[in-house]
Amino acid sequence: MPFDSVQGRHFEAAGENMHRFAEAPFDALQIGLHLDRDVLYERIECRVDAMLAAGLEDEVRGLLSAGYGPQLKSMQSIGYSHAAAWLTGRIGRDEAVRTLKRDTRRFAKRQMTWFRADSQIVWSRPDRISEIGRLAREYLLRPTPDSSGLQVAG
């Protein structure tokens, strides 16, 4: 059961939402970038191909030969676990690449589910840079209370 070290209790025992978005200890503008799913998946495919071209195989081979085994938590992350499975002969290269792309898509989906639950995030498309800039300017220039309670410009 997850534990809240600040409150000193388990989340479920306290009946609280695991996200705890309502308890943000600071004021921040959060901008989320929304991509259509097909565009996101295409980018994931390209990113995985780029990771492989940039030397993921050599990096993981070096880690394995240095004694960092697949059982280590750091070697169980997306990408490293797939390359380790391939390089230790548990699966073939094509299967490693296919499952790496699939697992990255699944991870992106879980991230989006998590972030969509945060009502403080303002969503925009990455190609709407002027809209994002306007939001940031408005946020930075808004009046904010200082420690004395007086309104001051951000």
Side-chain angles (χ1 to χ4, degrees):
M1 180 178 305
F3 188 76
D4 179 352
S5 60
V6 175
Q7 298 293 325
R9 58 193 164 146
H10 293 282
F11 287 109
E12 286 85 359
E16 295 183 30
N17 181 343
M18 286 294 297
H19 290 283
R20 297 186 60 200
F21 294 131
E23 297 180 27
F26 47 85
D27 183 28
L29 173 63
Q30 299 176 66
I31 299 174
L33 300 178
H34 172 76
L35 287 174
D36 292 331
R37 181 170 290 160
D38 58 333
V39 173
L40 176 61
Y41 286 3
E42 181 181 327
R43 287 188 179 189
I44 288 170
E45 297 266 333
C46 290
R47 176 67 182 130
V48 168
D49 292 341
M51 287 170 46
L52 292 164
L56 178 64
E57 175 186 355
D58 291 337
E59 181 178 351
V60 174
R61 181 176 279 117
L63 291 168
L64 291 170
S65 67
Y68 297 98
Q71 76 284 358
L72 294 173
K73 190 70 171 166
S74 59
M75 293 291 283
Q76 294 173 16
S77 62
I78 294 177
Y80 287 85
S81 63
H82 300 81
W86 157 38
L87 294 171
T88 58
R90 293 196 330 257
I91 60 175
R93 183 185 192 283
D94 290 344
E95 179 67 4
V97 172
R98 184 190 70 74
T99 57
L100 171 53
K101 290 178 179 181
R102 179 203 66 200
D103 293 348
T104 304
R105 288 190 303 270
R106 289 177 177 174
F107 184 70
K109 184 177 178 181
R110 286 193 306 274
Q111 286 180 318
M112 291 306 300
T113 299
W114 174 268
F115 288 123
R116 272 193 230 113
D118 187 343
S119 62
Q120 299 300 308
I121 295 177
V122 178
W123 292 95
S124 184
R125 298 179 59 80
D127 58 352
R128 295 188 178 154
I129 192 70
S130 60
E131 175 185 327
I132 295 168
R134 179 187 55 76
L135 289 169
R137 277 189 303 283
E138 288 174 2
Y139 175 79
L140 292 171
L141 297 174
R142 78 200 186 294
T144 59
D146 69 4
S147 58
S148 67
L150 299 174
Q151 293 290 322
V152 295

